[in-house]
Amino acid sequence: MAVAPAATAQGWRSPVNRTSQSRRATLMVGSLLTSLLLLLLHCLAVPPRATSAEEPEPDSRRRLEWTGTASYPASRRFSRGLADERGGVSVVEAPRMREKAVGILAAPVGRRISPKLAGRLSPLGEGAKKLPQALIVGVKKGGTRALLEFLRVHPDIRAVGAEPHFFDRNYDNGLEWYRDLMPKTLEGQITMEKTPSYFVTKEAPARISAMSRDTKLIVVVRDPVTRAISDYTQTLSKKPDIPSFESLTFKNRTTGLIDTSWSAIQIGIYAKHLDNWLQYFPMEQILFVSGERLINDPAGELGRVQDFLGLKRIITDKHFYFNQTKGFPCLKKAEGSSKPHCLGKTKGRTHPDIRPEVVLRLRNFYRPFNMKFYQMTAHNFGWDD
């Protein structure tokens, strides 16, 4: 009997098997054609990428171009981690939440972030450089350095150590230059700087207002007679050959006419300078700190400053001790240190002896200006008691 082809040792296939193989091949070709068709339809449905001459669609996909150490927050691994931590957030939505977490808006597709801006972008948790929201604008030899050092203890205040002198000497450098001087801050922290010469610079109020009308201003004031003598003492330490305090104070010693062109005298006419500031800022945006109370009750004055800045009162009596040698309060622990900190040797210099009649003439000169200043600020600083 003849053996059927399907049963031969050579492994011939039956007609039934050949039909099944042909059917599978047909299905594979059909599936491939279907995939190609779907891919073609998808490509036709995706809008073209915006060119430099076109504005991207409002709902177009947005992206960030990170540089340097900021690459990790833009990575897919970061997005997946964010999706896991937020619980149920899709990986598609995670990039948007990442951008919100970092605190900046992504650039539209087809546009690059400015190199200057890109240099300021930081990984999550490092913060970003911002223009200051509060300024210590004066006055020279009033206690501005002490106030700044005390404020830097607060965790929600980040301040520049050196005086930028932007609004009086370096304004032509532009706001980007100024911003780059600032320390990085996190959400909720306040950026500050202090330059006491701003208070007597005629152009400063308008320039600060142009930056932000909401800027909070702090002025440390001190008895103008004591301030003038302290100012002279500082200059004397640098230029020992300058004329005497008395000869610089008076235009004519016989008549007792005060020389208001001398900066040491002119700075203490606080009412005159305040008039200029009130052209651009309301009084409620200006806080006047007593230089005398900053020495006698530093915690009390710091409490007022923290309230003014909208911060929790963290700096209290426990942060200070009084240094009998220097005659100033010092910090038990300075910013970023576990050691006590006093102001440098340039603070608390011994004043030269000034004849009592010279001091009396100065007090009589300043009295009407002080009275005007008390009225303007609704506060009596007690310099004429």
Side-chain angles (χ1 to χ4, degrees), residues 12 48 66 85 110-111 142 147 150 152 157 255 323 328 336 367 377:
W12 295 348
W66 291 79
E85 291 174 2
R111 294 184 180 180
L147 178 60
F150 296 162
R152 291 175 74 174
I157 291 178
T255 61
N323 187 300
F328 279 98
R367 184 170 289 108
T377 60

Side-chain angles (χ1 to χ4, degrees), residues 62-119:
R62 303 168 83 85
R63 65 185 173 88
L64 272 177
E65 295 181 357
W66 291 79
T67 60
T69 58
S71 59
Y72 173 67
S75 67
R76 292 183 180 177
R77 183 157 57 92
F78 179 92
S79 295
R80 288 197 296 270
L82 182 61
D84 293 339
E85 291 174 2
R86 297 297 174 94
V89 177
S90 70
V91 176
V92 174
E93 286 298 318
R96 292 181 181 274
M97 302 187 73
R98 175 194 66 220
E99 294 168 9
K100 182 178 180 181
V102 177
I104 60 172
L105 181 65
V109 172
R111 294 184 180 180
R112 295 185 63 86
I113 294 176
S114 162
K116 290 184 178 180
L117 179 60

Side-chain angles (χ1 to χ4, degrees), residues 123-369:
L124 184 65
E126 287 190 7
K129 293 186 177 184
K130 303 174 184 176
L131 293 170
Q133 298 94 50
L135 298 172
I136 300 175
V137 299
V139 298
K140 180 183 180 184
K141 307 309 295 179
T144 58
R145 171 55 59 182
L147 178 60
L148 183 69
E149 293 299 314
F150 296 162
L151 282 175
R152 291 175 74 174
V153 174
H154 200 293
D156 290 333
I157 291 178
R158 300 284 286 119
V160 181
E163 297 174 2
H165 283 280
F166 175 66
F167 294 105
D168 56 354
R169 302 176 189 171
N170 298 306
Y171 194 66
D172 289 342
N173 289 338
L175 285 174
E176 290 298 323
W177 177 89
Y178 185 46
R179 190 200 307 267
D180 284 341
L181 299 179
M182 300 299 121
K184 292 179 180 179
T185 53
L186 300 174
E187 187 68 27
Q189 289 183 321
I190 294 176
T191 303
M192 291 187 67
E193 68 110 325
K194 78 102 176 172
T195 303
S197 55
Y198 290 162
F199 190 64
V200 297
T201 300
K202 185 177 180 181
E203 299 81 9
R207 291 171 174 177
I208 295 172
S209 177
M211 176 186 72
S212 173
R213 294 182 180 179
D214 297 325
T215 305
K216 293 188 176 183
L217 308 170
I218 301 173
V219 187
V220 188
V221 289
R222 183 183 183 187
D223 181 335
V225 177
T226 308
R227 198 221 65 81
I229 297 173
S230 180
D231 198 338
Y232 173 79
T233 304
Q234 183 182 55
T235 305
L236 184 65
S237 68
K238 300 175 182 178
K239 300 177 181 179
D241 58 342
I242 61 171
S244 68
F245 179 84
E246 183 176 347
S247 62
L248 292 171
T249 298
F250 301 108
K251 285 184 176 181
N252 187 309
R253 297 187 187 187
T254 303
T255 61
L257 184 64
I258 304 295
D259 187 358
T260 57
S261 66
W262 184 31
S263 63
I265 299 296
Q266 195 256 353
I267 290 173
I269 309 175
Y270 302 139
K272 172 187 173 183
H273 305 303
L274 181 55
D275 266 332
N276 187 32
W277 287 87
L278 293 179
Q279 304 294 320
Y280 300 91
F281 292 94
M283 186 65 79
E284 55 266 26
Q285 270 179 242
I286 309 174
L287 178 70
F288 294 91
V289 174
S290 167
E292 288 81 14
R293 284 199 296 272
L294 195 59
I295 296 174
N296 301 326
D297 181 20
E301 285 301 280
L302 266 293
R304 294 179 59 241
V305 176
Q306 291 171 95
D307 291 345
F308 175 70
L309 296 175
L311 299 174
K312 182 179 179 181
R313 285 198 177 195
I314 291 179
I315 306 173
T316 61
D317 283 321
K318 67 181 181 181
H319 288 89
F320 302 98
Y321 75 94
F322 193 83
N323 187 300
Q324 297 291 343
T325 302
K326 294 185 71 66
F328 279 98
C330 300
L331 289 168
K332 292 180 180 178
K333 293 181 181 180
E335 179 197 25
S337 173
S338 59
K339 298 180 180 180
H341 173 69
C342 285
L343 298 178
K345 62 181 180 180
T346 61
K347 307 300 179 182
R349 295 187 185 95
T350 301
H351 291 178
D353 291 330
I354 307 297
R355 291 193 301 142
E357 55 267 32
V358 175
V359 174
L360 180 59
R361 286 187 179 182
L362 273 177
R363 294 209 175 278
N364 291 335
F365 167 76
Y366 278 120
R367 184 170 289 108
F369 297 110

